[in-house]
Amino acid sequence: MGRIVTIIGTRPEIIKMAPVVKAIDELPHEHILVHSGQHYDLEMDRVFFRDMKLREPDVQLELKEQPPHLQVARTVMQAASVASKADLVVVHGDTNTTLAGALLGNKLGKPVAHVEAGIRSFDRTMPEEVNRIITDQVSRVLLTPTETARRNLENEDVRLGVHVVGNSIIDAIMQNSDIAAKSSKIIKRLKLGGSRFGVLTLHRAENVDAPDRLKRVLQAMEAVASRHALTVVFPIHPRTEKAAKQFGLSSLLKVPGLKVIPPTGYLDMLELERNASLVFTDSGGLQEEACFFHVPCVTLRENTERPETLDIGANVLAGTDPRRILEAADKQKDARREWPNPFGDGTTGRQIAQIVAKFFG
Ligand code: UD1
Ligand code: UDP
């Protein structure tokens, strides 16, 4: 029997790893779930364990309000003793928790498996891009969502241990969208029934830590709401809310057409996205989910590590210039919502568990 140590710590890791954790739990191996504590507010963390019906972490660490370098350093230190007993360390995605888990596994001489390996924005000013590249370089098992991601790894001379398995976000959607449709009351609660609305999320460092960019996006959303007669629902990330306050931009959160709400649970978010006319986002997960639901997406960035969504017309890049955002909204509102889903068939968790089982022989 082997011992697997899976390390998660942020909202997207909890959501996308829930199906993977459940599938690995079925294996005849010990499976220790570690939470770094990177996300800690109720609505950024606990709510997803409830919505995804994910078991509690075996080890809960604390990381509240640490700067990025200390997020990595403290996670390495705090997770060292549990990871030192691992036969395989599993990490997901591109956060500071991911990087810490991968470095820790590597320094301990433990094999690392990376879920959602190989995706690239080719923009090394993004902390996430650096986290992905380093994590992939030290991983032994690389679980890529698409062929494009596999090719990215090949171009970086990472060829061994690579498996194309789809993205577990599709498992998460498929396992939860019927439940969401039955149990979520968000459409009614926000009085959106029968109306056309957009969904906005924004939290990327490059957008919210720069007052000019944040201001431009918020102004653009007011203009989009007015031009398209849309209510734009904006579940606001705590980082963004803090930044708006700090930069004196809170008044832009109260403009007509913009409905700012606290971050939602997963089931509520699925319902919002499924019923939306347009999605505006700088989130990775929302680009994938909008694509799955055939809801046109406008990505508020200059690049994306999900180019598959651009190729099929599900998504366009608009940066943060209001004129470009308005043009992109015009284009996307007329998009033919017939594109195929490039991220797999919802069996990613099971495929990963089989690969892990084989790894142990
Ligand atoms: C992190 C990830 C990003 C991912 C995002 C998902 C890194 C480098 N970035 O960004 O890739 O897309 O999570 O949401 O790891 N905060 C709270 N409560 C919380 C969590 C955060 O108030 O529960 C505030 C704190 O002020 C914190 C700030 O948000 O300092 C930033 O949080 P952090 O986890 O460092 O980065 P994210 O922007 O969430
Ligand atoms: N999400 C959510 N409520 C919110 C915002 C996002 O449930 O208020 C979900 C979303 O459906 C997706 C995931 O969180 O599954 C994306 O996480 P986030 O945007 O924080 O990170 P990223 O995907 O950019 O790494």
Side-chain angles (χ1 to χ4, degrees), residues 11-12 15 48 203-204 235 263-266 269 273 283-285 289:
R11 171 166 73 187
I15 293 170
F48 300 105
H203 70 274
R204 211 47 68 200
T264 70
Y266 184 59
M269 184 45 110
E273 288 181 271
S283 155
E289 287 165 343

Side-chain angles (χ1 to χ4, degrees), residues 103-290:
L103 287 177
L104 181 57
N106 178 265
K107 292 296 166 202
L108 288 167
K110 309 288 181 186
V112 175
H114 184 202
V115 180
E116 207 179 74
I119 67 173
R120 294 289 182 269
S121 65
F122 302 102
D123 174 4
R124 290 198 188 198
T125 64
M126 279 182 82
E128 290 86 354
E129 181 77 352
V130 175
N131 291 349
R132 289 178 200 121
I133 293 170
I134 298 173
T135 301
D136 285 336
Q137 286 294 331
V138 301
S139 292
R140 180 99 56 91
V141 183
L142 298 109
L143 303 151
T144 77
T146 62
E147 261 304 309
T148 308
R150 188 195 60 72
R151 275 198 301 276
N152 290 337
L153 291 176
E154 199 172 80
N155 291 337
E156 292 171 14
D157 282 331
V158 178
R159 292 188 173 83
L160 295 178
V162 180
H163 307 263
V164 183
V165 294
N167 194 311
S168 59
I169 200 157
I170 304 300
D171 306 34
I173 301 172
M174 286 182 167
Q175 289 166 22
N176 291 288
S177 55
D178 283 353
I179 301 171
K182 283 193 196 111
S183 66
S184 167
K185 309 263 183 292
I186 191 141
I187 303 290
K188 204 166 164 195
R189 190 155 49 79
L190 299 180
K191 301 189 177 62
L192 295 167
S195 65
R196 292 176 66 253
F197 67 90
V199 175
L200 165 67
T201 77
L202 193 73
H203 70 274
R204 211 47 68 200
E206 80 224 33
N207 283 339
V208 305
D209 293 355
D212 284 355
R213 292 174 78 90
L214 180 56
K215 189 174 172 187
R216 280 206 305 270
V217 173
L218 294 174
Q219 287 171 336
M221 295 323 299
E222 183 183 4
V224 165
S226 151
R227 172 126 135 207
H228 293 282
L230 286 177
T231 301
V232 176
V233 181
F234 182 15
I236 194 164
H237 190 294
R239 177 181 197 139
T240 312
E241 190 170 25
K242 286 175 189 173
K245 253 190 214 138
Q246 187 195 334
F247 302 143
L249 299 175
S250 296
S251 60
L252 291 179
L253 299 176
K254 298 185 186 101
V255 295
L258 196 61
K259 200 175 191 80
V260 178
I261 59 171
T264 70
Y266 184 59
L267 300 177
D268 282 346
M269 184 45 110
L270 287 182
E271 270 307 271
L272 282 176
E273 288 181 271
R274 197 170 64 82
N275 289 287
S277 300
L278 285 170
V279 166
F280 300 86
T281 195
D282 61 8
S283 155
L286 265 93
Q287 292 174 64
E288 294 157 350
E289 287 165 343

Side-chain angles (χ1 to χ4, degrees), residues 6-18 21 33-41 44-46 48-49 54 57 59-64 71 75 90-101 237:
T6 294
I7 306 179
I8 58 174
T10 64
R11 171 166 73 187
E13 288 161 325
I14 301 165
I15 293 170
K16 290 177 167 185
M17 284 301 281
V21 169
L33 183 61
V34 180
H35 189 312
S36 70
Q38 183 173 342
H39 284 177
Y40 47 85
D41 284 345
M44 294 296 289
D45 173 40
R46 303 306 321 152
F48 300 105
F49 284 85
L54 179 60
V59 179
Q60 177 68 57
L61 307 174
E62 207 189 300
L63 211 53
K64 217 168 185 172
Q71 286 175 337
T75 303
V90 181
V91 295
H92 172 276
D94 53 21
T95 68
N96 290 333
T97 295
T98 316
L99 177 64
H237 190 294

